[in-house]
Structure formats: C-alpha cells, structure tokens
Amino acid sequence: MKLFSEHLLSELDKQLQNIHSKTDNPVQYAELAIKVLIPIFENLKTKFLKHTFTNKSEEISFFRDTKPQFAAKLIYYNEIYNIETNKPFGSKKAIRKHFNLELIKLQAFYNENKEFYKYYRTDNKSLDHKYFLRGKHDLRHTLDSFYFQADNRFSTSHDYKVAKILANEKLKSYIENEIAKLEQKEETSVANANTKTQKWTGSKVGLIELIYALHTEGVFNHGTSELKEVATFFETTFNIDLGQFNRAFLEIRTRKSERTKFLNTLKEKLILRMDDADEN
C-alpha cells in the first residue's frame, strides 16, 4: 500500500505541476486541479479498501501520514476556488477585507484545535491508536462534523483534521501573498504618481528571459522570492501583462540557437558602450 501511495502521489504532483505551467489564473488552476484530484483520491480509496493491513502501525501510518497528503491538496484547491470566485469586485480595501476574513477563519480553526495542533506538530504518538485507527472515535477529542458523514471504512476521527492543518498552512501563505501583492500595487501607484512612469517597450519574451535569469541568480530577497512573485513585480512596475510566462520560457528553452538571445544582446551592447566610453 505504501509503494502504491507514493507512486500515486508522485503522479499527482506531476499533473499539478503541469497545470500550474499552463495557467496562473487561480480559478482556472484550482478547477483543473480538483478535476485531477477527485479520480486520484477515488483510486486511492479503491486500492485501500482491497488492502489488508498486517498490523495497526501500518494503518496508523496510512491515516496519519499518507491519506492526509492527498486530502490536503483537495481541500487547498477547493478553498482557493471558493476564495477567488467569491472575491468582491471593487476597491482594494474590499478585496483586502475579503482576504482578512479568510485568515480569521484559519485562525478560528487553529483556536478550536490548538491541543491537536500541538500534539501533531510535536510528533507526539501517544494517542495515535485513538486518532488514526478506524472505529476508535471519542467525542471528547473534538471531532469534526465531517467525520459523521464520511465513509468509516476509509476514515478515522482525526485524519481529516491533519489534512486541514496541512491545507491551511499552504492556504495561509497563499492569502498573505495575495494581500502583499495588493499592498505592493498600492505602493507602486503612489511611487508612480511622484515619478515618471517607465514602460517596458522591449519584447515580452526578452523580459521573461531576463526575469528567469535574475530569479535563478537569486538576487531578490536573498533568493527567497518565488518566480511568480518576481514576475508580478515586473508586471506591476512596467505596466505589462506577461501572460503565461511559464509557457514562454518553454519556448525559450527549445530554441535551436541562442537560447539566451536577449541576455547575449545585453552583454554585447554593454561592452560596446564601455568601449566607446574608454575611447572618449
């Protein structure tokens, strides 16, 4: 069961990566991800129901470590879809309020499950036989209502809670990043009001080539910035829509000659400028 699950998870990650390479629109990639996740999750369940565990430790491991990895992805993308489709039209203030309310929901879940968070995050195993074995639920251990609606053949009292913890961590990062992007746009708007706007008039492909080179070198925030964050910064700064820049990068990689055409041109022209300056 473990080998099957690992292979299935690997295939899932490849499909999700492919989806993200095709679109940066959160509604689109969330919808596509959910369509991929549902049959894979059903595949996991079908295989599980045919499997006979040799001992309780194997069953505990499946429900504590394996199943939540799949379920967390389904929860995460479903939440992204709901957050983005319910995002209000209008001012940045309204959108920021929308995102902050989502952060409050995450905090509420943490507050309701603080003891289990501590148990899980400290890698405590003393209650695993109650939390991660089927048919061992205890009302005193803060059960989610979801448990009573789930298939008890494929659920324990706390495997869903683990999946929620994993999903919420990613969701928190997503929401905070969206809020940061809003604030960045506001700061840029103020700066643009006081300085002459610099508009990118070169080719989009050239700019994408430059962005990838700078990100690879790790020159932003000591190399901690995500590629999408860097691309968004350039789009905002230069008032340009780079579209599906991941796809453009694939085209750059498949060039038969001069894969770094724009960077080569920059280097040549800078050297010529230096030579001219030396002569004068």
Side-chain angles (χ1 to χ4, degrees):
M1 189 68 204
K2 184 178 180 180
L3 289 176
F4 172 81
S5 301
E6 289 175 349
H7 175 74
L8 195 62
L9 186 61
S10 177
E11 288 300 312
L12 172 59
D13 286 338
K14 288 178 183 177
Q15 292 189 53
L16 293 177
Q17 185 177 8
N18 184 48
I19 289 171
H20 281 280
S21 71
K22 291 180 178 178
T23 178
D24 295 316
N25 184 304
V27 174
Q28 291 178 0
Y29 69 62
E31 186 174 1
L32 291 171
I34 291 169
K35 288 179 179 179
V36 166
L37 275 155
I38 290 175
I40 285 182
F41 198 71
E42 286 299 319
N43 190 4
L44 179 70
K45 178 179 179 180
T46 300
K47 181 70 174 179
F48 172 85
L49 294 177
K50 294 178 180 178
H51 180 74
T52 301
F53 289 108
T54 57
N55 54 61
K56 291 182 178 180
S57 295
E58 186 184 356
E59 182 176 346
I60 288 172
S61 177
F62 177 83
F63 284 110
R64 176 173 177 136
D65 304 317
T66 303
K67 182 189 172 187
Q69 293 184 67
F70 292 86
K73 295 179 189 296
L74 189 53
I75 294 169
Y76 171 73
Y77 285 107
N78 187 56
E79 288 299 319
I80 292 290
Y81 184 83
N82 290 331
I83 289 170
E84 290 295 335
T85 53
N86 289 313
K87 187 166 67 176
F89 290 100
S91 66
K92 291 185 178 72
K93 183 178 180 180
I95 297 173
R96 186 187 291 104
K97 181 180 179 182
H98 171 69
F99 283 130
N100 283 327
L101 286 174
E102 294 299 327
L103 288 177
I104 290 172
K105 291 179 185 178
L106 298 183
Q107 184 63 42
F109 180 82
Y110 169 78
N111 292 339
E112 292 169 4
N113 298 278
K114 192 175 296 184
E115 287 302 314
F116 183 72
Y117 261 88
K118 183 178 179 180
Y119 175 87
Y120 179 71
R121 286 303 176 202
T122 57
D123 202 29
N124 194 338
K125 302 278 175 68
S126 62
L127 295 175
D128 279 6
H129 62 289
K130 291 182 178 289
Y131 291 154
F132 303 112
L133 287 176
R134 288 167 291 177
K136 300 294 184 181
H137 67 272
D138 187 335
L139 292 175
R140 293 171 296 180
H141 289 152
T142 318
L143 297 180
D144 294 303
S145 297
F146 172 83
Y147 174 72
F148 300 104
Q149 305 170 35
D151 185 344
N152 290 332
R153 298 173 303 164
F154 189 55
S155 300
T156 69
S157 64
H158 283 65
D159 68 89
Y160 176 78
K161 210 178 287 286
V162 173
K164 280 283 288 182
I165 289 173
L166 298 176
N168 284 359
E169 286 180 349
K170 285 192 65 178
L171 201 56
K172 183 174 183 289
S173 296
Y174 174 84
I175 295 170
E176 288 176 341
N177 185 52
E178 291 302 304
I179 292 174
K181 283 160 61 176
L182 283 174
E183 293 174 350
Q184 185 182 71
K185 287 180 181 179
E186 288 181 348
E187 291 173 359
T188 302
S189 296
V190 173
N192 286 342
N194 298 322
T195 59
K196 184 178 179 181
T197 301
Q198 299 298 314
K199 185 175 178 61
W200 181 270
T201 54
S203 71
K204 288 185 180 181
V205 174
L207 180 56
I208 291 169
E209 187 179 319
L210 177 62
I211 289 171
Y212 268 87
L214 293 171
H215 181 261
T216 302
E217 181 63 18
V219 297
F220 301 104
N221 296 327
H222 305 289
T224 62
S225 296
E226 296 290 337
L227 178 63
K228 186 177 179 181
E229 294 174 337
V230 176
T232 300
F233 171 78
F234 274 83
E235 286 181 317
T236 303
T237 303
F238 294 120
N239 190 27
I240 185 172
D241 181 8
L242 295 176
Q244 298 182 14
F245 59 88
N246 291 304
R247 182 171 294 180
F249 182 62
L250 290 176
E251 294 175 0
I252 292 171
R253 287 169 50 197
T254 56
R255 288 172 180 168
K256 293 184 179 179
S257 61
E258 276 202 293
R259 298 173 81 187
T260 55
K261 182 179 179 181
F262 183 68
L263 296 179
N264 292 346
T265 300
L266 289 180
K267 178 181 177 182
E268 291 170 1
K269 290 189 175 181
L270 180 58
I271 290 174
L272 286 174
R273 183 170 182 171
M274 290 177 176
D275 290 342
D276 289 341
D278 292 340
E279 291 176 0
N280 296 326

